[in-house]
Amino acid sequence: MCSSGKHVMKLHWWGAPEKIAEKAELKSPVERFEGSNLIKKAGQVTVFLSGVMVLEKYDANRLFGSKDTNDLFVATTYQVGTEPTITTVHYIKENAEIGWHGDFFSNVVLAEDDFTSDHITLRVQVYDLDKYDKYKDFVEKVFKEFDVGLIFPALLPYMAFGSAISDQILRLIDSLDTHDRIIDERVRFAIAEPKTGQKILQTGHFVCFRESIDAEDENLYLDKNLRVVHEDGKRFDGCSYAVYTVTDEVYTDYRWKIDQKIAKLISELNGKGNSGEAAIHFLRKTMEAYTKYRKAERYVELKSKSELTEEEKRLLNRLEREIRSDEVLNHLLSGV
């Protein structure tokens, strides 16, 4: 309680409902947002990084002074429950101008179509890379050779261009905190009810500010373009921020989901295994077969239960449709 008697609640993370007509007040993520759906076990969840507003600048030139740019690096490290942590790189841009960035080569953080944990931890990392020239060549080579390797750095040691390139990228990611920090914050969203003090895993938009602020006291809103504004619609320019979106829908890029599973598998194995891009193809085929098996196993499990939750009923119906459209699974489970 401050001297004026007014309670000040400064947080890095604030949130708003998923559907925004014009603008919505930013609320603490411990509250249930209007119209939001709670993410529950056996439900679906996809997390996107919708964009980052970069307002600080670190690039400088000895002759001409500071530039309104950064050599921008944007990544999210996430953990579902106690599973391995996975880093997803969204963006690397030389001389990125001050302002909004959302044209990422991948804005998906994670996608789970059968959520089995009780919490998700996110860490957003937005940095200006010092002395970008020393990274430029091998970053461009990764872009050219295999984009998905840059999205999931855990796959890099298995790429065709060999360990020299992958080691440099991985060293860059591991040493991010030695570069100029724009945003580096984490949050834990849990399957929880309101008034429990936990940040609720629910559909909506979540804003991570560079500095902890009191969004309610400052009357801050999120507009329909996912920019933070004041009550009068004027742009908020107090500090940089990142905007995540949580939905309860299935992300439909099957290849991306398989690569996410491979990255998780490799992380579980601590990078051990055969080297070379062939290993990725092998793992992808293995994961496709494994995913079909798990789908069938989950279907049989749900089918045998006497009572199902609403989420489990929806999951069972979806699994049945997918199984019926798969010749092999349909044949195998025709008698279930």
Side-chain angles (χ1 to χ4, degrees), residues 216-321:
E216 292 179 350
D217 186 54
E218 294 189 38
N219 291 319
L220 295 182
Y221 292 74
L222 194 65
D223 72 12
K224 60 185 178 183
N225 296 313
L226 303 186
R227 310 297 197 271
V228 178
V229 296
H230 294 278
E231 191 171 12
D232 61 3
K234 184 180 178 182
R235 192 186 83 167
F236 168 81
D237 58 5
C239 64
S240 295
Y241 58 87
V243 181
Y244 285 87
T245 298
V246 177
T247 75
D248 58 354
E249 298 176 358
V250 174
Y251 182 60
T252 56
D253 187 335
Y254 184 67
R255 162 122 184 224
W256 187 96
K257 289 198 289 186
I258 289 295
D259 287 329
Q260 176 191 239
K261 293 178 189 294
I262 295 170
K264 191 176 293 186
L265 177 61
I266 290 173
S267 296
E268 287 174 341
L269 298 173
N270 295 317
K272 296 179 180 178
N274 297 321
S275 60
E277 195 173 333
I280 294 298
H281 297 310
F282 172 77
L283 281 171
R284 186 174 291 128
K285 287 185 176 295
T286 301
M287 287 306 302
E288 286 174 354
Y290 175 72
T291 301
K292 285 188 176 184
Y293 166 76
R294 289 288 294 164
K295 186 182 294 185
E297 184 182 57
R298 185 68 161 138
Y299 175 80
V300 172
E301 176 191 344
L302 292 174
K303 196 77 172 174
S304 64
K305 291 181 70 170
S306 58
E307 292 186 352
L308 298 174
T309 65
E310 288 302 312
E311 287 76 16
E312 287 173 332
K313 289 177 183 177
R314 285 195 290 270
L315 176 60
L316 179 62
N317 290 334
R318 178 170 59 78
L319 289 175
E320 182 157 7
R321 289 196 302 272

Side-chain angles (χ1 to χ4, degrees), residues 47-50 52 72-78 87-93 102-110 123-126 143 150-153 244 256:
V47 179
F48 301 92
L49 177 60
S50 298
V52 295
L72 198 59
F73 180 96
V74 182
T76 304
T77 298
Y78 74 88
T87 296
T88 303
V89 176
H90 304 287
Y91 197 57
I92 300 179
K93 177 72 172 178
D103 53 339
F104 306 138
F105 42 80
S106 174
N107 69 337
V108 185
V109 176
L110 68 93
R123 179 187 179 188
V124 54
Q125 294 174 289
V126 183
F143 276 137
L150 198 53
I151 295 169
F152 295 111
Y244 285 87
W256 187 96

